Amino acid sequence: MKDEVTRDDRVANLKGLGCSRKRVEDARFTQGKGNYVDDMNLPGMLTGDFVRSPYAHARITSINTDAAMALDGVIAVLTAKDLEPLGLHWMPTLAGDKQMVLADGKVLFQGQEVAFVVAKDRYIASDAVELVEVEYEELPVIVDPFASMKSDVVLREDLDPTAPGAHGPRKHHNHIFTWEVGDEDGTNAVIDDADIVAEESMYYHRTHPCPLEPCGCVASMDKVNGKLTLWGTFQAPHVVRTVASLLSGIEEHNIRVVSPDIGGGFGNKVGVYPGYVCSIVASIVTGVPVKWVEDRMENLMSTAFARDYWMTGKISATKEGKITGLHCHVTADHGAFDACADPTKFPAGFMNICTGSYDIPIAYLGVDGVYTNKAPGGVSYRCSFRVTEAVYFIERMIEVLAIEMNMDSAELRRINFIKKEQFPYNSALGWEYDSGDYHTAWDKALKAVDYEGLRKEQAERVEAFKRGETRTIMGIGLSFFTEIVGAGPVKNCDILGMGMFDSCEIRIHPTGSAIARLGTISQGQGHATTFAQILASEIGISADSITIEEGDTDTAPYGLGTYGSRSTPVAGAAAAMVGRKIRAKAQMIAAYLLEVHDDDVEFDVDRFVVKGAPERFKTMGEIAYAAYNQAIPGIEPGLEAVSYYDPPNMTYPFGAYVCVMDIDVDTGVPTIKRFYALDDCGTRINPMVIEGQIHGGLTEALAVALGQEIAYDDMGNCKTGTLMDFFLPTAWEVPNYETDHTVTPSPHHPIGAKGVGESPHVGGVPCFSNAVQDAFRPFGNRHTNMPHDHWRIWKTANDLGLHD
Amino acid sequence: MIPAAFEYHRPSDIAGALSVLAEHGDDARVLAGGHSLIPMMKLRMADVPHLIDLQDIDVLKGIKIDGGTVTIGAMVTQHEIIVSDALFAAAPIMREAALQIADPQVRYMGTIGGNVANGDPGNDMPGLMQCLDASFVLEGADGTRTTKARDFYEAAYMTERDDEEILTHIVFDATTAGYAYEKQKRKIGDYATAACAALITKDGDTVASASISMTNLSDVPVFSEAANAALVGTTCDAAAVKAAVAAALEDIDPTEDNRGPVEFKMHVAGIIIARAIERAWSRA
């Protein structure tokens, strides 16, 4: 006799919300069976490769392609002159600027695309690149945004210096925009009259997302049926299709964009790169598929960077430590073209979340974007738009204010947190925080690490150091962050005019399994695992019986893609909503089958039961079969639905992090002794996937805080173009992470989930940095800039006289 | 990152490799583990029309310990150095140093011969070989000769090896000296910011002999006679270590790079040298 299947068993069989289900993607990834763009090989496919500029700023006096064209196997060498008749030698950027596809008369950064060689294979293409003769006339190079704003040298000769840019008036020929939020006069008045004011300037250095798989595509123009297919590393395939249609004039139904497996994105694969445009043109010209895949150096030197924000802050407080006002100004180095990937109305992203987790009554933010001779970009590397910069800024300002007040910064945070009962909370800079319970999270974190004990240990260590008994000092890094993710309400968030909703479509098969498609695209986040869990809980079909598909614009519903932790808040909400549509129809079918009124059945895990008579039920499997095979009066056959979800608000995940670090003052080597991360991402869909996201985001935070940098010399040469110098941490450098959580659901999200992929990065960077800076606080340190590599840490010790 | 075309040669004996070298001269290079040469070819900074892969030459493989003499074939990998218990017994500093070279994947391929013969000042083995007073066996058309590691390095990538010679073996005496290989690096896979090899023997309470050498602190590995002299006869107390460090720092000439400026490197070098000496002494 079979064991009785309990309700708990049925819940467990669903593998729905809250289940640490193993990632279904990993079987193929761990066995080398993934399908990445560079795995594609189509008959007759050609390969493209770029001639790139060795100079950061130079005029091009001539390009001679004869020798390259003479090489056996070279099909074409494209220059700006070839693209100009098509109007494709420049392309629009996501930020309302335009960018050269191929150098049009001059180059503006080292590594800029100058010519595109198309050849029979990758080797011939590379040989031909060496044969293209380009003559340059060097121009003065500007790598400093402050110098740029004073320089007579005009970087962008294509722009009318007196005309406004995409975001309003420009102050100087190298200025891009000024963006202001908040009340500057009011803020200044509060700060001028305040008991305490702390000021600090900080540089959030330029870095790079550096996904393991670089960017690339395969373009295939089928001249017989007029269809263009583009496979590529796209975080937003549907947007790429629309943009490709608008640029090329090919009708959108004749373009199919496919994102196959993607080896990490982190914001690097949101934008459109010259390689995509050149591959499409080359395929249209040659009539055969053209592949372009960049190498690691090209990825680091020419695709979208992150950060490069020079931030100056003033924060005021009462004698008791209650913050009264915050003033922030940013000089943003955008490089040669403004290619930031932000919603249109937010040229500095959501930098105006810079009041952080604190109840600050008045604030002002001003951002000036500036051109320099560096690679373009400004993407959100594992964070929602510029949130990492904002959180780093406020978490450093809190520390500086604590120093100014000779106060413990944990207590200073506690005094100023937005209180649980204040949510939904309207910030001084215009956001409505949906939900939070910061005090509970903070207390839990500090208790978990025995914060008071740590401070005692630190004080003892300082004394021991002063007595000459040790040469290591101890830092306790704190950070409390509030993220703003899930862009976004269409009313204020769009990219190139396309509203930032997302979508889910589901088709239940007659035998009770299903396929669902979404407008997002996983780059490692595990969507095929977690979206199935949301649907499983909503419709009562096991996650194991639901296939998730994304990334093919011919089959998936339109969506804005995956970045800014928007997949769960937006597409995840669409999944929940589409599940409810299925359930509503299923309810009518069940009622018909059970011969009762619709209102007399209710959903129970995986079935509809007659109210008060749970032994009378129809499972979702039975309902699906009936939906297709039984004539039901008034109900059309089939069981499928689609939902487009425009969120009413963003979601605001938060967290409390503590890092304990030892620093060898003689060598500058930091050792992380402990890292505790408490995250509140609302309803938790898959705790194991969340933990994986936390580990990954913290590791990228460690990288950025402790050494990962895109650095240039005065001539605009990129000094960090290989993984020898660009810090990508391995298992060796990464500490053990302790993860913890609280759960404060989002009140407006259908299942209360908030998004988590980027939280650990946003909270982690200031936490690691604060640990370094806190170690030196007892010796007089106030602020030092990241990245805290050995030499910079050593220099801090040296400047503080610790080597004397 | 795509190399230019090249001819691939895979001889099965040294004579075969030497004949390709003789035939093509400057146009030919031998390939050991490939961790220096292949990236340079991919960057097109090394133009190698004829690549001679040494992996099929059996006499270049294996670690032999015969009495007190250690002989290591040029094609022995860092991994083989780490896992050889016999080598660990004969010269434990070899394992300690090899474990600080890059990561396991690199160590499965990277060879001691390539590491010492390339003349890259960032490589760890050249300094270590000077510390061990190793000899390098070079084989060319005119036969075999032996040279000392301490005489081998002339400038960055410039060594005493003739272009038409192959470094076949490394020979040094087994040692029971106290040992240490100290290395500071930014991350796994990086060259040293500063590294130091130290071997110290003890006679009662005093230093009987000392051998100090340094990596990536000049355009060649640096063996510091003066540092050794500062230690011998002392009790390796703080004053002696300080004197040895001061002497060693006189012998180096680091340059600024992404790891930091000269001032920082000199300071860190002093710390690393002192730590190597102290740890070697503690094991003497």
Side-chain angles (χ1 to χ4, degrees), chain A residues 86 100 117 161 219 248 250 276 302 309 346 355 479 481 493 500 553 557 565 611 624 685-686 710:
Chain A
L86 306 167
M100 292 181 212
V117 172
S248 67
I250 300 171
Y276 307 156
S302 69
Y309 260 31
F346 298 90
T355 52
S479 84
F481 65 92
C493 287
M500 296 178 75
T553 61
S565 289
K611 285 179 187 170
I685 298 164
N686 181 322
I710 294 289

Side-chain angles (χ1 to χ4, degrees), chain A residues 283-314:
Chain A
S283 181
I284 291 172
V285 170
T286 60
V288 291
V290 175
K291 178 193 275 186
W292 166 74
V293 177
E294 64 184 4
D295 65 29
R296 177 64 56 200
M297 292 177 71
E298 291 178 297
N299 179 255
L300 286 172
M301 290 173 67
S302 69
T303 64
F305 73 93
R307 332 288 198 233
D308 217 343
Y309 260 31
W310 299 82
M311 305 185 282
T312 301
K314 274 189 254 182

Side-chain angles (χ1 to χ4, degrees), chain B residues 58-82:
Chain B
D58 285 341
V59 296
L60 298 178
K61 295 176 183 171
I63 299 167
K64 269 194 304 187
I65 295 157
D66 190 1
T69 303
V70 178
T71 304
I72 304 178
M75 290 297 283
V76 168
T77 65
Q78 311 292 357
H79 173 73
E80 290 167 325
I81 288 170
I82 290 166

